[in-house]
Amino acid sequence: MAELHIHGGSAVIASILQALGSIPGLRMAEAGEFSRRAFDNDKMDLTTLEGVADLINAETEAQRKLAVRQAGGELCEMYEHWRVQMVSLMANIEAYIDFSEEENIDDDVLDTVRRIAASLKEEIANHLNDGRRGEILRSGVSLAIVGPPNSGKSTLLNRLAQRQVAIVSPVAGTTRDIIETTLDIGGYPLVVRDTAGLRHADTDAIEAEGIRRALESAREADMRICLLDATQVLDQQQQSLDDILGTDEWQALLNLPHTFIVLNKADQLNIGASDSARSLASAWAQAHTGSDCVLISCASMFGWDELMRSVAGHIRTSWEQGQGGESLQMPLTKARHRQHLRECLDRLEMFERAGEEWVLAAEELRAASSALGRITGRVGIEDVLDALFSQFCIGK
């Protein structure tokens, strides 16, 4: 196989390909063929190949970093380490079954097997219990913008997207369906949704359906921005959330994790967009919600940098790094991995329940190691390979 790096325009490339096509036995490489041959010759495992595919499709810096870690073999090393330990445990059990009397194999070997198996089970369970960090970073953090009508939700979406995504109008209830766009904020992928304004709409069935969808979208999102009109909050005798949002159902959104309170229209405050306004907004938020808020103006861009830093910083500490800034263990990135790891964990639990039935226990360990082998490509992965390589560039 050969990879050509050609200088020149499309006419030069077409001419070279035509000349190469006239050589007997020479053909164009298929999509992903280089990587597939590397896999067939044990130069790469399946998780590494998936990392390469993710690197090709990465659109943000966070996605690129995650893909580089996976393509570098970080997941493979961890899964292979677990699999090798399970194979070793199987060997110990089978040696005990076959040779315990002839070779005087101590019963302590079985205690060691149980202890290591329990440790593996705990490690895999902790790996699964990662809050879907890797999958969220890979596909994008979903963020819903919710709040009362005319608080500036559509304007905020347009400012984030830096283009006109949603219609902006002073008429309350303009947005009735969910409007979605994908963004890169601070190097992190973000799927932002503008939603209908939260208010009572008993006489308008279409708007009521939009509000229902807005609440559903907010509950399902990874993050939420509750956008309020700063003039209603701060100028009108510092209204409470009961006055602004009305129902307990809407206020419950503020109690969900990863929720930001953002006050918009700072430029329209009586005291203007200033540090004094920031202090007033912070005091209001602490008094009424027990947390802080961000004061912005979508019109003048006041507070914009603070909002971007807050969102990017929250994504970093929640899904990329620990609270102390430490680098976390390589997370799961595929639903396929999660499925096989759950199967592995189930088999380890059945191993524990097998008790003194060591033949059955060894079989459960074999099934657990096979589940890990399906992640790295040791067994039963032809369908996965066909789907994976279809995402690759020609030859890559």
Side-chain angles (χ1 to χ4, degrees):
M1 297 185 72
E3 186 170 0
L4 304 180
H5 296 266
I6 303 168
H7 298 282
S10 56
V12 175
I13 296 173
S15 177
I16 292 175
L17 290 177
Q18 183 178 4
L20 292 174
S22 65
I23 300 175
L26 194 68
R27 65 172 176 84
M28 290 278 288
E30 297 176 359
E33 188 167 356
F34 283 16
S35 296
R36 181 152 197 165
R37 290 198 179 192
F39 174 80
D40 290 339
N41 289 283
D42 293 328
K43 299 294 179 64
M44 304 173 76
D45 82 298
L46 190 52
T47 62
T48 303
L49 290 175
E50 289 172 328
V52 173
D54 287 346
L55 187 58
I56 292 171
N57 297 315
E59 296 181 349
T60 68
E61 181 63 11
Q63 290 172 324
R64 184 196 67 80
K65 287 180 179 178
L66 193 64
V68 166
R69 289 179 66 183
Q70 184 166 334
E74 199 167 328
L75 274 183
C76 174
E77 290 176 7
M78 179 167 55
Y79 295 154
E80 273 301 288
H81 175 67
W82 290 341
R83 193 183 71 83
V84 168
Q85 283 186 286
M86 290 180 193
V87 171
S88 176
L89 296 181
M90 278 192 298
N92 286 330
I93 292 176
E94 289 171 358
Y96 178 82
I97 294 171
D98 295 337
F99 308 112
S100 59
E101 294 182 2
E102 296 86 345
E103 301 296 335
N104 295 320
I105 297 177
D106 199 338
D107 288 349
D108 289 346
V109 169
L110 300 180
D111 294 333
T112 302
V113 167
R114 288 194 185 97
R115 177 175 51 79
I116 295 175
S119 177
L120 282 171
K121 178 185 169 186
E122 183 179 1
E123 285 185 52
I124 294 171
N126 290 337
H127 184 55
L128 278 168
N129 188 27
D130 65 348
R132 295 178 54 250
R133 290 189 300 113
E135 291 153 285
I136 288 172
L137 279 180
R138 181 175 173 271
S139 59
V141 179
S142 60
L143 183 149
I145 304 174
V146 294
N150 280 354
S151 56
K153 299 184 297 299
S154 297
T155 304
L156 175 59
L157 178 67
N158 291 341
R159 284 294 194 186
L160 289 170
Q162 299 182 19
R163 60 189 176 90
Q164 293 296 314
V165 178
I167 297 173
V168 176
S169 167
V171 178
T174 301
T175 302
R176 299 192 171 200
D177 208 347
I178 295 172
I179 302 173
E180 183 176 287
T181 189
T182 303
L183 310 173
D184 178 345
I185 293 183
Y188 297 101
L190 208 62
V191 181
V192 185
R193 299 169 186 154
D194 180 22
T195 63
L198 302 181
R199 67 171 179 176
H200 294 288
D202 298 332
T203 60
D204 191 327
I206 296 176
E207 186 177 2
E209 174 61 18
I211 292 171
R212 187 196 66 79
R213 293 186 183 189
L215 291 168
E216 183 180 43
S217 176
R219 294 189 194 102
E220 293 175 352
D222 301 315
M223 294 175 63
R224 285 149 293 277
I225 287 181
C226 182
L227 194 68
L228 306 176
D229 186 337
T231 61
Q232 293 182 355
V233 171
L234 303 179
D235 283 346
Q236 299 179 21
Q237 284 135 16
Q238 298 195 20
Q239 292 189 75
S240 69
L241 288 172
D242 291 344
D243 300 326
I244 298 168
L245 293 180
T247 69
D248 292 338
E249 184 182 23
W250 299 347
Q251 291 181 54
L253 296 177
L254 299 179
N255 297 323
L256 295 175
H258 313 301
T259 299
F260 288 84
I261 297 176
V262 178
L263 305 185
N264 185 31
K265 303 185 182 181
D267 57 303
Q268 298 179 22
L269 290 171
N270 293 334
I271 60 174
S274 62
D275 289 339
S276 298
R278 277 198 179 99
S279 299
L280 190 62
S282 180
W284 174 86
Q286 289 293 339
H288 293 282
T289 70
S291 61
D292 210 344
C293 71
V294 179
L295 179 65
I296 68 168
S297 168
C298 289
S300 68
M301 303 299 285
F302 173 84
W304 195 254
D305 289 343
E306 181 185 357
L307 177 61
M308 294 299 97
R309 285 194 301 270
S310 297
V311 172
H314 189 79
I315 294 173
R316 181 170 56 253
T317 56
S318 299
W319 290 290
E320 186 181 46
Q321 298 177 344
Q323 295 295 328
E326 71 277 7
S327 180
L328 298 174
Q329 181 189 65
M330 175 74 196
L332 286 160
T333 58
K334 301 274 189 181
R336 183 183 72 83
H337 301 175
R338 192 174 294 279
Q339 174 188 348
H340 293 314
L341 284 169
R342 282 176 177 154
E343 180 185 351
C344 177
L345 198 61
D346 289 342
R347 291 296 186 171
L348 288 175
E349 289 175 353
M350 292 174 72
F351 163 81
E352 290 181 343
R353 291 200 294 268
E356 301 296 323
E357 297 289 337
W358 291 112
V359 174
L360 293 177
E363 186 57 36
E364 296 302 342
L365 280 179
R366 185 176 290 106
S369 67
S370 294
L372 286 178
R374 283 191 287 275
I375 299 177
T376 57
R378 300 290 179 183
V379 288
I381 41 77
E382 279 304 313
D383 292 341
V384 176
L385 285 177
D386 291 340
L388 174 63
F389 286 123
S390 66
Q391 305 174 38
F392 279 56
C393 309
I394 297 298
K396 186 68 70 180

